[in-house]
Amino acid sequence: MCGLEIHVEAGKVTGIRGNRDDVWSRGHLCPKGVSLGAVHHDPDRVRNPLIKVDGEWQEVSWDAAFRRCTELLTPVIDKYGIGAVTAYTGNPLAHSFSLARYAGVLMGMSGCRSPIRPARSINGRRTCRRT
């Protein structure tokens, strides 16, 4: 986990460095931390929910996105049970205390099986495993 100092001028990230006071990273940065500004300002970054309508991606509200999830998941759950549904959790869990703390609770309450997360590379190929 990187402790970051992010400098912003006129709404743009102008600099990122390690926070020396951070108890975990003590001023050191990982490559993701260094590139955070570029990721934030990337014009291709998804900033709002998208659903496919007539073969094209369309930006929608969160309510519309959750409605679409319900439309797609309900028939699967009705036919195969909640065990047919899981969630992919990747790197963000490592960087958000609340997300890491509550993701498991929410998954458990839903009845879903354990979430899937990236495991490691084997012979250059990424594998996934259940947590």
Side-chain angles (χ1 to χ4, degrees):
M1 288 190 238
C2 298
L4 304 175
E5 289 182 9
I6 302 174
H7 301 273
V8 178
E9 293 178 20
K12 289 262 206 189
V13 175
T14 58
I16 298 175
R17 67 180 185 171
N19 180 348
R20 292 185 180 144
D21 295 329
D22 184 78
V23 297
W24 294 100
S25 60
R26 297 186 194 134
H28 296 280
L29 287 180
C30 67
K32 289 181 184 179
V34 172
S35 63
L36 189 59
V39 171
H40 179 73
H41 295 298
D42 187 329
D44 294 327
R45 182 172 68 96
V46 175
R47 291 169 169 79
N48 295 296
L50 300 170
I51 61 172
K52 217 172 224 188
V53 178
D54 299 325
E56 299 289 325
W57 290 107
Q58 180 180 343
E59 192 173 292
V60 297
S61 69
W62 282 105
D63 285 341
F66 284 119
R67 271 194 307 277
R68 185 66 178 138
C69 290
T70 301
E71 290 168 7
L72 295 172
L73 288 173
T74 298
V76 172
I77 295 167
D78 288 347
K79 185 171 183 178
Y80 301 103
I82 193 67
V85 178
T86 191
Y88 173 83
T89 60
N91 192 289
L93 282 182
H95 298 284
S96 171
F97 174 75
S98 59
L99 183 58
R101 182 173 181 182
Y102 296 112
V105 173
L106 291 172
M107 289 294 293
M109 288 171 53
S110 72
C112 288
R113 296 170 62 187
S114 299
I116 296 174
R117 63 182 173 89
R120 57 191 161 119
S121 291
I122 298 175
N123 296 329
R125 293 176 60 192
R126 222 33 205 167
T127 63
C128 290
R129 64 177 175 174
R130 292 210 178 267
T131 54

